């Protein structure tokens, strides 16, 4: 029984390592995640980031068995914000908080600078209280956006 358990654990580990390498050809893939969309809602200094994605079928079982810690790391890597924290995470969606992402220019004005992602995002939305910008198939939010305090 011990050999069987050890063999199953090794097989699962091999799947986690091999599946991301096989899947590396798609631009919107990051390891076993395929990113569908990212929406960034700016609010003064902070942002809320909604990410939708799919997980490779073979890896879904592993995530259920081994827990969400690796999935959490992958999602944090995909959004690429230094101080992001995950508020909610499921097998197809995550909500993150990013403090201090808006640079304070004084008198209630803020700037969200250009931002890069490690993958191509099929649908990227960046929204401030005054503006909403939408992009398709991009790995960068270009130029930045200015906005005012809510």
């Amino acid at each position: 029984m011990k050999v069987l358990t050890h063999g199953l654990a090794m097989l699962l580990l091999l799947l986690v390592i091999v599946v991301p390498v096989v899947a590396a050809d798609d631009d919107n893939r990051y390891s076993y995640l395929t990113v569908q969309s990212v929406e960034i809602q700016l609010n003064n200094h902070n942002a809320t980031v909604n990410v939708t994605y799919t997980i490779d079928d073979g890896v879904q079982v592993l995530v259920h068995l081994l827990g969400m810690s690796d999935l959490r790391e992958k999602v944090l890597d995909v959004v690429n914000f230094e101080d992001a924290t995950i508020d909610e995470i499921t097998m197809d969606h995550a909500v993150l908080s990013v403090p201090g992402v808006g640079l304070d220019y004084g008198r209630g004005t803020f700037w969200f600078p250009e931002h890069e992602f490690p993958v191509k995002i099929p649908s990227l939305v960046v929204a401030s209280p005054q503006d909403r910008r939408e992009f398709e198939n991009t790995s960068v939010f270009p130029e930045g956006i200015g906005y005012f305090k809510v």
Side-chain angles (χ1 to χ4, degrees), residues 4-61:
L4 180 62
T5 304
H6 182 69
L8 181 59
M10 292 302 291
L11 179 62
L12 292 176
L13 181 60
L14 183 62
L15 279 173
V16 169
I17 293 169
V18 171
V19 169
V21 172
V22 171
D25 291 337
D26 296 330
D27 287 345
N28 64 327
R29 293 181 63 90
Y30 186 83
S31 185
Y32 54 78
L33 290 181
T34 301
V35 179
Q36 305 294 316
S37 66
V38 173
E39 183 171 338
I40 301 170
Q41 179 64 52
L42 303 167
N43 184 7
N44 299 336
H45 293 286
N46 306 318
T48 301
V49 180
N50 291 291
V51 184
T52 58
Y53 48 83
T54 58
I55 298 173
D56 292 347
D57 292 336
V59 179
Q60 286 183 16
V61 174

Side-chain angles (χ1 to χ4, degrees), residues 120-124 134-139:
K120 193 171 280 189
I121 309 296
S123 173
L124 172 64
E134 298 181 27
F135 302 88
E136 293 181 4
N137 298 316
T138 185
S139 60

